[in-house]
């Protein structure tokens, strides 16, 4: 609970095997948590938790940058645009060198940090300890929302989804004030879903684009 709103939060501390999943063994988007788990099972691993990891087109192609296993599958987008993704500043969640970061998109484009896994989305929720300047404390735009925040030292990462409809301002405050994360990124809204077998939670819905999750040994 934070400021009277309910959220589910899954956290990991480095070293943690956080990955982005987009392309399945058949060359098509994984689309579901079950498909990712089935692919991982061939190497004796599984998802400890996962959620949708960024916005995507109707054919499930990522809207912005996506890096999977060191390969860039879609380029960075730095222009302002419509919708939440284009509400600058937006950002990139990056896993590099065993640490985690959320980087403003234009800063990423100017000096790419060599991410092994990365996903671009928007808007940024928290930027260097400050809430996104366009978030309104009295907004009436409420949705289920999910996103990611990282600690100042890059060793901790928190993935959160709201259990009820919340504003951007409320969601951003969860990361900054409730979880102590100075940088955080919004992933998506109404389609947001969480896979967390340890919590007995398996959200259903339409096939997804990018999926982000923690990989652990089976059993």
């Amino acid at each position: 609970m934070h400021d009277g709103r309910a959220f589910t939060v899954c956290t990991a501390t480095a070293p943690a095997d956080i990955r982005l999943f987009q392309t399945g063994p058949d060359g098509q988007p994984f689309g579901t948590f079950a498909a990712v788990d089935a692919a991982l099972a061939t190497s004796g691993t599984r998802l400890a938790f996962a959620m949708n990891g960024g916005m995507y087109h109707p054919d499930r192609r990522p809207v912005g940058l996506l890096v999977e296993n060191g390969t860039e599958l879609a380029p960075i987008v730095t222009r302002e645009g419509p919708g939440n993704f284009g509400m600058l500043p937006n950002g990139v969640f990056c896993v590099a060198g065993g640490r985690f970061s959320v980087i403003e998109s234009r800063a990423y484009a100017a000096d790419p940090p060599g991410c092994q896994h990365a996903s671009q989305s928007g808007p940024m929720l928290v930027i260097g300890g400050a809430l996104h300047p366009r978030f309104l404390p009295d907004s009436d735009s409420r949705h289920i929302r999910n996103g990611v925040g990282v600690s100042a030292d890059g060793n901790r990462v928190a993935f959160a989804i709201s259990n009820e409809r919340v504003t951007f301002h409320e969601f951003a405050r969860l990361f900054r004030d409730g979880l102590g994360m100075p940088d955080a990124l919004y992933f998506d809204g109404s389609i947001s879903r969480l896979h967390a077998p340890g919590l007995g939670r398996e959200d259903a819905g339409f096939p997804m684009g990018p999926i982000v999750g923690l990989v652990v040994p089976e059993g």
Side-chain angles (χ1 to χ4, degrees):
M1 297 295 297
H2 185 261
D3 284 351
R5 303 291 177 187
F7 304 88
T8 299
V9 182
C10 297
T11 64
T13 302
D17 190 2
I18 299 289
R19 305 184 200 175
L20 264 294
F21 298 92
Q22 173 67 14
T23 310
D26 60 357
Q28 299 301 309
F30 279 104
T32 66
F33 303 125
V36 174
D37 258 338
L40 290 173
T42 63
S43 61
T45 56
R46 65 176 177 85
L47 290 170
F49 63 78
M51 61 172 49
N52 50 296
M55 298 178 188
Y56 53 92
H57 296 289
D59 62 359
R60 290 181 277 156
R61 289 181 299 111
V63 171
L65 174 81
L66 187 76
V67 177
E68 183 181 27
N69 294 318
T71 300
E72 184 178 298
L73 303 182
I76 191 85
V77 177
T78 58
R79 64 184 179 275
E80 189 171 9
N84 292 325
F85 182 93
M87 188 192 302
L88 301 186
N90 57 18
V92 176
F93 169 65
C94 169
V95 181
R99 299 179 67 192
F100 316 107
S101 58
V102 170
I103 309 164
E104 190 273 326
S105 293
R106 291 179 177 176
Y108 180 101
D111 186 18
C115 307
Q116 184 179 7
H117 292 276
S119 180
Q120 182 186 12
S121 192
M124 292 275 283
L125 296 169
V126 189
I127 312 143
L131 302 190
H132 193 291
R134 292 180 59 181
F135 293 170
L136 303 175
D138 57 353
S139 171
D140 60 1
S141 176
R142 294 185 173 276
H143 296 279
I144 300 296
R145 304 185 189 274
N146 78 303
V148 60
V150 299
S151 62
D153 62 7
N155 287 327
R156 292 188 301 118
V157 61
F159 297 89
I161 185 168
S162 64
N163 295 342
E164 57 187 288
R165 295 173 183 269
V166 296
T167 66
F168 270 131
H169 201 276
E170 290 168 339
F171 196 42
R173 293 202 318 269
L174 165 74
F175 283 102
R176 186 189 67 177
D177 305 335
L179 301 175
M181 302 294 185
D183 295 287
L185 178 67
Y186 177 68
F187 276 147
D188 217 327
S190 300
I191 63 96
S192 299
R193 299 199 291 288
L194 175 67
H195 165 81
L199 301 176
R201 180 161 173 172
E202 182 68 28
D203 298 346
F206 295 109
M208 296 169 278
I211 293 170
V212 62
L214 172 64
V215 178
V216 296
E218 183 66 55

